[in-house]
Amino acid sequence: MTVRKDDGRFAQTDSGLFIPTQHLAPATAAATDFVAIAERFLDTPYLWGGKTSDGIDCSGLVQIALQAGGIRCPRDSDMQEGTLGKAISLDEIRRGDLVFWKGHVAIARNTKALIHANAHHMTVAIEPAEVAIARIKIAGSDVTSVRRL
């Protein structure tokens, strides 16, 4: 997509669409904080296998956020767990760490909260880490790893 006109508030594309300029960045730009990118998806509906504004799943959220930051990322949570970052202890968690369960992944916002697309909330939600870990454990899955990029 090419911007043909920009009046400071709106940019007009070559196809005639108008986009608020605050939502534009050069195609080569990489976000500096992938967690902030994930936060932009708050309240997006949960959809298993989804990766659009119509719905998104946990690994799709992670993939979109990381790719916006210029970090290559596989699509599924098991592949993400097997290839991204290095394993750390849950006690060491900080912003940007990835928390994995069997078939699920969340992003640490800080030492106390996670952001993830999940079927419990049926949306992208911010949840206290302690609550999410306990709830998912009751459902039958322990944390399998925490990875730092």
Side-chain angles (χ1 to χ4, degrees):
M1 181 180 323
T2 303
V3 172
R4 296 290 177 206
K5 280 201 266 184
D6 182 347
D7 70 7
R9 287 188 49 226
F10 290 94
Q12 184 177 12
T13 68
D14 51 357
S15 61
L17 299 173
F18 288 87
I19 300 171
T21 55
Q22 67 186 17
H23 295 293
L24 295 176
T28 57
T32 57
D33 181 2
F34 78 89
V35 180
I37 297 297
E39 290 169 342
R40 292 182 187 181
F41 287 85
L42 276 173
D43 300 321
T44 299
Y46 172 81
L47 176 65
W48 184 80
K51 206 172 99 168
T52 70
S53 60
D54 291 333
I56 193 166
D57 69 8
C58 62
S59 57
L61 177 66
V62 169
Q63 185 183 48
I64 288 170
L66 288 176
Q67 287 178 336
I71 300 168
R72 294 182 72 164
C73 179
R75 174 62 178 96
D76 295 326
S77 61
D78 61 336
M79 293 184 281
Q80 292 169 353
E81 185 174 20
T83 61
L84 295 174
K86 64 175 185 154
I88 62 163
S89 162
L90 187 57
D91 296 335
E92 301 174 76
I93 197 168
R94 68 178 187 211
R95 185 175 180 85
D97 291 339
L98 303 176
V99 181
F100 291 92
W101 295 262
K102 184 177 171 39
H104 189 62
V105 60
I107 303 168
R109 289 185 74 223
N110 52 45
T111 60
K112 303 281 185 202
L114 304 174
I115 181 169
H116 57 146
N118 66 88
H120 177 75
H121 296 100
M122 289 306 293
T123 189
V124 175
I126 294 170
E127 184 173 17
E130 190 176 288
V131 172
I133 291 166
R135 179 177 51 74
I136 295 170
K137 183 175 183 142
I138 289 169
S141 184
D142 284 317
V143 170
T144 54
S145 72
V146 180
R147 316 256 334 149
R148 178 161 297 151
L149 303 176

